[in-house]
Amino acid sequence: MDTPRVGDSLPNAEHHEGGFRPMTELIRAHAAGSDGPVGGPQYGELIEQARVLMDRVRLILPSEELAKEAVATLEQLNARLAEAVVEEWSAPTWSRTDLPARGNITLPPYTVVEADSSGVTAEVVFRTFHLGGNAAAHGGHIALAFDDLCGMAAALSSRSITRTASLTVDYRSITPLNKPLTLKAHAERQEGRKIYLKATLHDGERLCAEASGLFIVLNPGQP
């Protein structure tokens, strides 16, 4: 087994695939790590507070007064945040491997426990925002977690940039909210540019869901 190198799959001058990612931005962001994390030390707390907001809004039943107050507050905050919006590849979420799900608020928060060419093991928590119904996680959010971590496993196995071609999820039992779950993904085999993957999601010993995926290695310059 290779020595785990979580985060080292970030593209650099020797590892790139043409036009899929503008390498200059990511190389600069990676090099800037010695001067402090991209986005600053408070970026993680900002993402966490945004997640708390999402959790609250998922189940809120506001009065008219509270709704008006919240709208006014959010309008002001959104106007302020608009001043800091950057293009896709300058955002911190490609390099902040110190934060759950790299600080990407669109993903269920996960922490990588181990990652190398043999596979990825992560601890994932589906929060209140990810509610599907009757205290269980929504199947779409489960598929999203599988997709992201299978993509990581495909990249580490092939040492290339990949895209999802297909993902099949079988839901075996209820996936609970607000508790650490274990997601494992690994590449079974590679045939040319095709990488076949398997993944599982467990609550302790209980299997919640499993997935199989096909990922494609991109050609140089392929979007």
Side-chain angles (χ1 to χ4, degrees):
M1 181 179 291
D2 296 344
T3 302
R5 297 171 59 184
V6 178
D8 281 2
S9 58
L10 182 73
N12 53 46
E14 288 73 43
H15 175 73
H16 59 86
E17 280 70 31
F20 180 66
R21 295 180 176 181
M23 292 299 110
T24 301
E25 291 289 343
L26 291 179
I27 293 169
R28 186 179 298 120
H30 202 2
S34 59
D35 298 325
V38 179
Q42 296 301 312
Y43 182 75
E45 182 59 26
L46 171 62
I47 295 301
E48 172 58 22
Q49 289 303 315
R51 288 191 185 277
V52 171
L53 174 64
M54 293 159 62
D55 290 339
R56 297 286 188 271
V57 172
R58 178 62 179 85
L59 292 178
I60 196 172
L61 178 59
S63 65
E64 183 176 359
E65 180 182 0
L66 177 57
K68 288 181 178 179
E69 179 184 347
V71 167
T73 299
L74 290 171
E75 284 179 341
Q76 292 181 2
L77 178 59
N78 283 330
R80 183 74 177 91
L81 292 176
E83 301 172 11
V85 171
V86 295
E87 52 84 31
E88 177 183 354
W89 303 109
S90 294
T93 51
W94 292 108
S95 58
R96 289 301 297 267
T97 54
D98 58 311
L99 300 176
R102 304 185 301 279
N104 187 338
I105 197 170
T106 67
L107 299 174
Y110 63 76
T111 301
V112 175
V113 176
E114 187 175 10
D116 57 34
S117 60
S118 67
V120 174
T121 299
E123 181 180 276
V124 60
V125 177
F126 294 96
R127 297 173 57 144
T128 303
F129 173 75
H130 304 112
L131 172 66
N134 201 21
H138 192 291
H141 291 299
I142 296 170
L144 178 59
F146 274 134
D147 185 51
D148 197 69
L149 287 161
C150 281
M152 183 184 298
L156 289 171
S157 175
S158 65
R159 300 183 183 277
S160 302
I161 299 299
T162 67
R163 277 199 185 275
T164 313
S166 67
L167 182 70
T168 301
V169 180
D170 294 309
Y171 301 94
R172 301 305 186 187
S173 63
I174 293 299
T175 297
L177 298 175
N178 298 309
K179 66 178 300 186
L181 308 173
T182 300
L183 194 156
K184 294 185 177 182
H186 70 278
E188 285 196 313
R189 68 187 189 279
Q190 181 169 350
E191 299 174 359
R193 294 170 57 207
K194 298 179 179 180
I195 306 172
Y196 296 87
L197 297 107
K198 292 289 187 181
T200 58
L201 177 68
H202 280 85
D203 175 16
E205 296 298 318
R206 180 171 59 84
L207 177 64
C208 298
E210 54 189 339
S212 58
L214 170 62
F215 283 64
I216 304 297
V217 173
L218 295 183
N219 287 321
Q222 185 176 357

